[in-house]
Amino acid sequence: MKILSIETSCDDTGISILEAQKKGKTISFKVLASVIQSQIQIHSPYGGVFPALAKREHQKNLPILLKQAFKKAKLEPDQLSDLATKWVIAVTSGPGLEPALWTGIVFAKELAQKYKIPVIPVNHMEGHIFSVFPKNKKEFEIPQIKFPALTLLVSGGHTELVLIKKWHDYQIIGQTLDDASGEAFDKVARMLELPYPGGPEVSRLASNLRIAPLLNKEGVGGGNSENHHLALHQAQGTPPHKGGDKIQISLPRPMLYTKNFNFSFSGLKTAVLYLIRDLKKENPNILQSQKIKEAICLEFENAVVETLVYKTQKAIEQYNIKTLIVAGGVSANQHLQQEITNLGKKFKQKRKKLNIYFPNKKLTGDNALMIGIAGYLKYLKN
Ligand code: KG4
Ligand code: ZN
C-alpha cells in the first residue's frame, strides 16, 4: 500500500510518499519521496509565524511539492487512481495554526475526491512520535517496543508527557499550563534580539558557554553546567547580582517540585524579561555583550531542560516505564538529548532498562513522513 502524506500545520509544507509493508508483526515503510518547503525566511521579519502568510505559502507550495514528490518517486500523479496499488492519503488535521491546517486538509480532500481514495486525519503530535523509528535513510520500521512507554513531546505549540500503554492508547499525564517549551525558547530569543526561529539560536549561544571555562574574560559566570546546576537548583528567580568579579544569573525552575507532571514556562519567560530589564538599568547596551546573552541562554536552557527531565524521570518511576520517546522540534536540543541520555544511564545503574528513542536531526522538525507513518497505523487499526 502507498501513502501520500501531507503536513501543513505550521510553517513547513511537507509531502511524502511511502510504501508500507506488513509482514507478520513487522510494519515497515520504504520512503519513495519526501519533500519539504520551509517558510522560515518569509516569517523571519515578523519574528514568528504569520498565519495568513503561512496559508498563502502552503497553498502555493502544495501543488509544486506534489509534482516534485511524484517525480522523485518515479510515479505519475494519475497513478493515485491505480487500483492495483492501493493508496491512502494521510493529512495533518490538528493541532496547529487553523488557516495553515485547512490548506492541507482541503488539498487532501480534493485529491481524495478526484481519485476516490480514503483520507486519514492524523494528529500532528501523534505524528511526531513516529518520527523516531527510521531504520536507515530510506526506510522506517516500527520496532516491537516494550510497553508501557512514555513520550515527552516538546514543540512550538505543545509540551506534554503522554503515557502509551499500547499503540493508539494514549493518556496525557502532564502538560504545560501556559507556554510550550519551544514557544518559551522563541520568546526568550526575541527578548535577546536573536533571529527567528529562536530555539536553535538560544541553544547555540548556550552551548558556546557550556564548553567554555567557568570564568570567561568578561567575567560572566555560568560556564560550568554542573556547578551551575547545583548552585541554582532551588533558585527562585533571584535578581542578577555581582559575586566577586562575575555576574550570577539565576532563573526559576517552575513547578519543579509539584506532585503532578505539569509544566509552566510563562513565569520563566517573564523572569528573563525582568532580568534583561534589570541588567539594562545598569547598562542600556547590555545586549550588545555576546557573553551576557550566552549566560542568559545557558541559564534559561538549563532551567527548561532540568524541568523537562525531572518530570520525565518522575513519570518513568511512577508508571514503571520501559520505553521513552522524545520528539518534537525541541527534541533537537543537544542539552536535552544529553540529559535524557544521562537519565537512561542512571536507570541502568539501578538495573532498570529504559530504551530511549530520539528522532534524527532531520526529523525533529515538522515533516510529512511522520504523518504518513501515523496515518498508516491508524488505517490498519480501523
Ligand atoms: O515541532 P516543531 O518543528 O513545530 C511545532 O509543531 O511547533 O517545533 C518547533 C519548535 C520551535 O519553537 C523551535 O524554536 C524549537 O522547536 N526548536 C528548538 C531547537 N530546535 C527547534 N528549541 C530548542 N533547542 C533547539 N535546538
Ligand atoms: Zn511539530
Side-chain angles (χ1 to χ4, degrees):
M1 165 163 279
K2 289 195 180 68
I3 308 137
L4 173 69
S5 57
I6 299 165
E7 155 65 37
T8 63
S9 69
C10 192
D11 58 348
D12 292 300
T13 323
I15 291 196
S16 72
I17 301 175
L18 291 162
E19 171 111 58
Q21 272 193 337
K22 189 174 181 302
K23 275 191 198 147
K25 279 189 173 174
T26 310
I27 301 171
S28 57
F29 300 86
K30 217 187 267 172
V31 180
L32 302 184
S34 181
V35 285
I36 197 152
Q37 178 66 51
S38 160
Q39 300 174 12
I40 283 181
Q41 287 192 334
I42 287 154
H43 298 289
S44 188
Y46 304 93
V49 182
F50 197 126
L53 264 185
K55 174 183 169 177
R56 189 193 74 188
E57 287 302 304
H58 286 311
Q59 281 172 334
K60 191 180 83 190
N61 295 337
L62 281 168
I64 299 169
L65 293 187
L66 183 72
K67 267 195 197 150
Q68 282 178 9
F70 272 90
K71 198 168 169 206
K72 273 200 174 174
K74 299 190 173 66
L75 294 165
E76 292 296 325
D78 276 351
Q79 280 180 283
L80 275 173
S81 56
D82 184 355
L83 292 178
T85 49
K86 273 176 114 188
W87 281 87
V88 289
I89 299 176
V91 63
T92 305
S93 58
L97 295 173
E98 211 160 297
L101 284 165
W102 275 112
T103 59
I105 295 168
V106 167
F107 190 73
K109 277 185 156 181
E110 281 171 4
L111 283 173
Q113 267 168 12
K114 185 169 171 192
Y115 296 109
K116 298 193 174 41
I117 37 184
V119 190
I120 302 156
V122 176
N123 179 290
H124 179 80
M125 300 313 291
E126 186 179 12
H128 272 299
I129 297 174
F130 293 101
S131 66
V132 303
F133 300 128
K135 197 174 161 198
N136 53 50
K137 272 187 182 170
K138 286 271 154 213
E139 276 174 292
F140 283 76
E141 191 171 287
I142 311 293
Q144 302 294 320
I145 67 163
K146 289 207 167 75
F147 294 104
L150 178 76
T151 178
L152 171 66
L153 295 174
V154 274
S155 73
H158 291 77
T159 298
E160 293 174 344
L161 277 168
V162 185
L163 176 67
I164 312 175
K165 289 188 190 136
K166 58 181 191 311
W167 289 130
H168 305 290
D169 182 349
Y170 303 110
Q171 183 193 340
I172 297 176
I173 57 167
Q175 60 190 314
T176 182
L177 303 179
D178 39 58
D179 290 356
S181 47
E183 187 181 359
F185 266 96
D186 294 337
K187 286 178 177 167
V188 164
R190 229 177 295 164
M191 293 174 203
L192 293 173
E193 296 161 13
L194 300 172
Y196 161 86
E201 261 320 281
V202 169
S203 168
R204 191 177 63 80
L205 291 196
S207 63
N208 284 349
L209 207 51
R210 213 174 276 292
I211 53 172
L214 184 58
L215 251 188
N216 58 56
K217 284 191 197 114
E218 279 187 52
V220 177
N224 180 316
S225 129
E226 276 315 307
N227 287 351
H228 219 68
H229 256 87
L230 293 173
L232 300 172
H233 201 62
Q234 307 235 27
Q236 292 301 314
T238 49
H241 61 276
K242 286 183 179 155
D245 59 349
K246 68 173 183 174
I247 295 172
Q248 293 284 353
I249 290 172
S250 55
L251 293 168
R253 270 66 174 154
M255 298 184 66
L256 194 60
Y257 297 116
T258 53
K259 286 214 164 72
N260 53 44
F261 301 109
N262 290 334
F263 305 96
S264 163
F265 294 106
S266 151
L268 175 60
K269 171 196 73 186
T270 310
V272 176
L273 188 74
Y274 290 157
L275 170 67
I276 296 171
R277 184 196 62 188
D278 292 345
L279 288 170
K280 275 187 173 171
K281 274 186 200 155
E282 284 198 27
N283 175 3
N285 299 322
I286 193 82
L287 289 187
Q288 281 170 18
S289 161
Q290 177 81 354
K291 293 298 171 197
I292 287 282
K293 284 192 188 184
E294 286 175 349
I296 297 173
C297 289
L298 180 76
E299 172 60 1
F300 169 76
E301 187 178 73
N302 282 343
V304 174
V305 169
E306 202 173 309
T307 318
L308 292 173
V309 173
Y310 186 81
K311 293 267 165 135
T312 304
Q313 177 181 344
K314 290 285 153 201
I316 292 168
E317 287 164 355
Q318 178 157 333
Y319 291 95
N320 197 18
I321 296 297
K322 306 275 194 306
T323 304
L324 173 66
I325 295 168
V326 185
V330 183
S331 71
N333 187 282
Q334 287 304 301
H335 183 51
L336 175 63
Q337 292 207 6
Q338 186 59 52
E339 292 297 311
I340 292 281
T341 307
N342 289 344
L343 185 65
K345 287 181 189 158
K346 246 202 249 176
F347 279 112
K348 203 172 169 194
Q349 280 164 2
K350 289 191 231 163
R351 296 178 185 280
K352 186 177 180 320
K353 191 154 166 45
L354 178 71
N355 288 309
I356 302 175
Y357 292 89
F358 296 105
N360 63 32
K361 204 165 181 323
K362 277 193 173 162
L363 294 170
T364 52
D366 295 340
N367 61 82
L369 284 172
M370 64 189 199
I371 302 302
I373 296 169
Y376 179 71
L377 294 187
K378 205 171 160 188
Y379 168 86
L380 285 185
K381 182 177 172 257
N382 300 320

